[in-house]
Every structure is written in C-alpha cells, then in structure tokens.
Amino acid sequence: MSRGARVEGHGALTMELSESVQKGFQMLADPGSFDSNAFTLVLRAAFQSLLDAQADEAVLDHPDLKHIDPVVLKHCHAAAATYILEAGKHRADKSTLSTYLEDCKFDRERIELFWTEYQSNKHSLEILLGSIGRSLPHITDVSWRLEYQIKTNQLHKLYRPAYLVTLNVEDLVGKLKDASKSLERATQL
Amino acid sequence: MLLDLSEEHKEHLAFLPQVDSAVVAEFGRIAVEFLRRGSNPKIYESAARKLNVSSDTVQHGVEGLIYLLTESSKLMISELDFQDSVFVLGFSEELNKLLLQLYLDNRKEIRTILSELAPDLPSYHSLEWRLDVQLASRSLRQQIKPSVTMKLHLNHSGDHTTKILQTDPATLLHLVQQLEQVLEEMKTNHCRRVVRNIK
C-alpha cells in the first residue's frame, strides 16, 4: 500500500490516507457498484465493526449485499473503516470530510449520508480512540472493611480499630488489547 | 490475670537474686536490647567471665527475664498481677520492685515489637499526588482529559514500598466520599457500643 493523498482542511491536521482507501471510496461512490441502500449498509457495517465489541464477519452478511463481489465488499468496508478512524483521530470537521469525499467522486447525497452516520457515531468513536494507549493502573472503585482488633497470638488486649481498604484497579493495558482486537477484526473482514 | 511460670523458667530466674541489683538492671537492659535487635552470644560470655559463672547460667537468666517481660507485656497484666506473679519466686522486695519497674518502663516498646510479628498487611504511610491533563495521544488529538496521578507510600513488615496509581476526578471524588463514610462508621452507635463493651 503506497502513500496516497495528503488531505488538508480547515482546523484539521493532515490525515495520511493510502491509495487503497481512496480506491475503496471511489468504488463506494459509484452508484453502479453500490446503490443507495448498499452504500448505507456498508457504511453502517464499518461503524459497527469499529464500535461493537461483538461484531464479526457477519456484519457484511446482508441479503442486499449478496450481489456484490465479496473482494470488492471487503475492500470498501476496510476503506471506510480506515477513513472513519483517521477522521475520528484528527477530529475532522464537515468541510474536511466533504473535501475528501468529493475528491473520491461522492455525490452530494452520499456525502450527507456519510456525515450523518459519522455524527451519530462520533462520540462512541472518540471514546474508543481515547481509551487506546498505555497508562498507569487506573483506580475504578474502593472497597473497605472496618474491624476492631482484639488480640493476636503475640499480643493480647489490642482494642483498636483497623481500616482495610482495597483500591479496585483496572489495568488499561487490558483495554488496549480489546481495542486492538476489535480493529484487527475490522481490517481482516 | 497471673503469669504461669514453668519450673524451668523459675529455675532460670533463680540466678537473679544471686547477683546484685546493678547486675540485674544490666541484664534487664540486655534483655530489652536483645528484643530490639536480636541476641548476641558474646555478651553472655563476657558477662559470665566477669561474674565467674558459666555462660549458660547467664544466658538462662537473661532469657528468663526476656520471657517474663514479653509474656507480661503480651497479656498487658496489671501492676498488681505482675507483683503477685513474681511473688511466687520468693525474691527480695528490692528485686521485685526492680522487676516491676523494668516491666512498666519497657512494656509499651515491647508491645510495639510484638505487634511487628503479627500477620501484617501493607499500611498507609503517605501519599503524593499530581494533577495532569492529557491533551492528545497517538490515537486521538485535541483532548482535554484530566487525571490524578498518585504515589502511595506503604509500610509492610518494615519494608517501604510505593505504588503508582491513577484515577479520574469523578472517581477520586467517589473515593473521598466512600472513605469519609468509613471514618464516620466508628462514630455510629453500633461501633461505640462494641468499643465500650469489649475491654
């Protein structure tokens, strides 16, 4: 995969997108290959693969997509998923998105559709991307126990309270593994 | 509550009236020092030479003293009970007084040493904290993600360990609220009643 277009837009940092992504989008733009319905389905499938932890290959199993060459289908799905991630990462605005999609020969209607889907999934996408990364063990909750110490075999008549505190910790490396598995599945479809 | 001294123990302690009180006081000092830092057999030998007795005798005497002090401290027996327990040994009043003073002077420290022998969980020593705001990461730009990083200093059986942990402001507030609740617990009627009645 060779480096393709560098996309620049107002307020967005440059996104690096490969030729493969561009080709995938160009196919998606073509009403002859993907009618309106199929386009929406592929788009939704891309979001689902990224955001739904349970999503798998079945995400493209839809009667309205059966007539499309599976290789093409996978390519376009992967292209959409890749672009969505890049756009999310750079917090792309509507104008940046529109510019790139226009370059890929999307018509006005499809650009609007893409933007609508992107908007409704943007928040979840940002949460997903924001949770990727190494971090220190993260405290999520605390459990406690109050006891009154009476004696030990070494010391009688203690008569003092003791507080046992457990800090429940979530190791975010675990989360990183979940996120990367989900992305792995998305690109292998 | 009286101490139950075994015959062997009484035999070992029987050495004490045979030396003068300055020596007993010195033995007392050695006994506490051994509790603090562990025993040193050379001390027994040099003392034995000076007193012209076997080093075994000295050792038993000191160990008898150690056991007397630790058992009394462990049970936290009263002055009266201590005096009554020692009375059976048939020592002079001067020696009894010396032993009682030895007990009272060192009881607190001995109990602290004994408490280090108990099963121990890491205990809180201190906390350092830092407030950070994450602005961007490789996977997401333009963030404003505050977090609190903490270095928890713990003591565990004499060892000092640290743990570095992180949390977000919302969880931190939740932690504080929960821990404040814990502190309040001791003030409830239930806990007060328990503390009052177990003595």
Side-chain angles (χ1 to χ4, degrees):
Chain A
M1 241 188 270
S2 56
R3 280 286 156 92
R6 269 189 106 90
V7 181
E8 312 219 15
H10 331 270
L13 298 168
T14 36
M15 290 191 272
E16 300 278 342
L17 295 157
S18 66
E19 252 183 65
S20 168
V21 171
Q22 220 178 343
K23 283 210 174 78
F25 265 29
Q26 283 164 348
M27 285 191 272
L28 263 178
D30 173 20
S33 311
F34 291 88
D35 64 26
S36 226
N37 189 29
F39 172 82
T40 310
L41 287 170
V42 173
L43 193 56
R44 295 227 173 109
F47 280 107
Q48 202 182 340
S49 303
L50 292 172
L51 301 171
D52 181 358
Q54 265 80 53
D56 56 16
E57 312 81 56
V59 90
L60 289 173
D61 273 348
H62 193 285
D64 292 349
L65 295 173
K66 285 275 171 350
H67 63 285
I68 302 171
D69 176 0
V71 174
V72 170
L73 198 54
K74 283 184 195 175
H75 185 165
C76 295
H77 173 264
T82 309
Y83 181 74
I84 289 165
L85 284 177
E86 278 301 299
K89 174 161 108 184
H90 291 288
R91 300 197 184 248
D93 55 14
K94 189 170 185 188
S95 113
T96 311
L97 238 82
S98 303
T99 309
Y100 182 73
L101 296 178
E102 272 166 26
D103 285 348
C104 298
K105 313 276 189 281
F106 271 44
D107 61 35
R108 202 70 248 156
E109 191 201 331
R110 292 195 178 195
I111 293 177
E112 282 304 315
L113 253 160
F114 194 102
W115 179 245
T116 309
E117 282 299 315
Y118 184 78
Q119 282 284 81
S120 67
N121 287 291
K122 198 165 85 130
H123 186 64
S124 312
L125 184 64
E126 279 164 15
I127 290 174
L128 177 71
L129 291 171
S131 71
I132 296 173
R134 295 199 136 265
S135 126
L136 296 166
H138 188 100
I139 303 172
T140 53
D141 203 353
V142 63
S143 322
W144 58 266
R145 190 169 92 200
L146 170 60
E147 54 183 39
Y148 195 61
Q149 293 178 344
I150 300 175
K151 61 161 62 164
T152 68
N153 65 328
Q154 303 290 357
L155 215 49
H156 294 202
K157 302 189 190 176
L158 278 168
Y159 305 143
R160 63 179 186 199
Y163 301 87
L164 269 88
V165 175
T166 304
L167 295 170
N168 302 18
V169 164
E170 180 192 55
D171 191 348
L172 284 180
V173 176
K175 258 189 141 183
L176 169 65
K177 288 203 180 113
D178 284 343
S180 67
K181 276 224 168 68
S182 161
L183 291 170
E184 216 179 285
R185 274 197 295 262
T187 53
Q188 273 169 6
L189 285 174
Chain B
M1 176 178 196
L2 292 180
L3 285 177
D4 192 13
L5 304 168
S6 70
E7 285 312 309
E8 195 190 3
H9 191 190
K10 289 182 198 166
E11 261 175 53
H12 292 173
L13 288 171
F15 177 56
L16 296 180
Q18 292 173 27
V19 294
D20 58 72
S21 26
V23 177
V24 177
E26 181 61 17
F27 279 6
R29 199 196 55 76
I30 293 172
V32 177
E33 194 53 33
F34 280 7
L35 278 172
R36 283 187 199 126
R37 277 180 242 280
S39 66
N40 181 0
K42 287 192 214 150
I43 306 252
Y44 294 140
E45 280 157 32
S46 71
R49 268 198 304 273
K50 280 190 217 151
L51 296 168
N52 208 16
V53 293
S54 73
S55 82
D56 273 356
T57 311
V58 176
Q59 181 170 347
H60 289 161
V62 174
E63 283 176 359
L65 209 48
I66 289 176
Y67 189 72
L68 179 68
L69 290 172
T70 52
E71 275 305 288
S72 308
S73 301
K74 163 179 161 178
L75 299 169
M76 192 72 170
I77 59 175
S78 62
E79 267 188 55
L80 196 55
D81 283 348
F82 183 89
Q83 284 169 321
D84 290 346
S85 307
V86 165
F87 187 73
V88 302
L89 297 167
F91 292 166
S92 70
E93 197 173 319
E94 196 197 343
L95 185 51
N96 286 348
K97 251 183 150 161
L98 203 150
L99 291 174
L100 177 64
Q101 205 50 50
L102 203 55
Y103 168 55
L104 293 174
D105 288 344
N106 293 290
R107 170 163 72 175
K108 189 166 177 205
E109 188 183 350
I110 293 174
R111 279 179 72 82
T112 306
I113 296 168
L114 288 174
S115 71
E116 288 167 19
L117 295 169
D120 190 21
L121 289 166
S123 68
Y124 174 82
H125 176 262
S126 60
L127 180 78
E128 298 173 65
W129 60 266
R130 190 180 80 197
L131 177 64
D132 292 319
V133 178
Q134 179 166 307
L135 301 174
S137 69
R138 184 176 164 185
S139 23
L140 188 62
R141 313 289 194 260
Q142 297 170 44
Q143 299 178 41
I144 298 181
K145 193 161 140 183
S147 68
V148 179
T149 306
M150 297 182 275
K151 189 171 185 179
L152 195 54
H153 292 260
L154 302 168
N155 285 330
H156 191 181
S157 306
D159 298 320
H160 187 106
T161 58
T162 56
K163 271 199 155 49
I164 301 187
L165 301 164
Q166 201 173 58
T167 192
D168 55 271
T171 307
L172 182 62
L173 289 173
H174 169 72
L175 289 185
V176 170
Q177 189 206 46
Q178 287 292 302
L179 293 175
E180 277 174 345
Q181 236 176 54
V182 183
L183 291 174
E184 283 303 306
E185 271 307 304
M186 271 310 285
K187 299 183 195 162
T188 60
N189 285 335
H190 174 74
C191 290
R192 280 198 220 262
R193 237 178 284 132
V194 170
V195 171
R196 254 200 315 268
N197 290 304
I198 300 184
K199 262 294 183 267

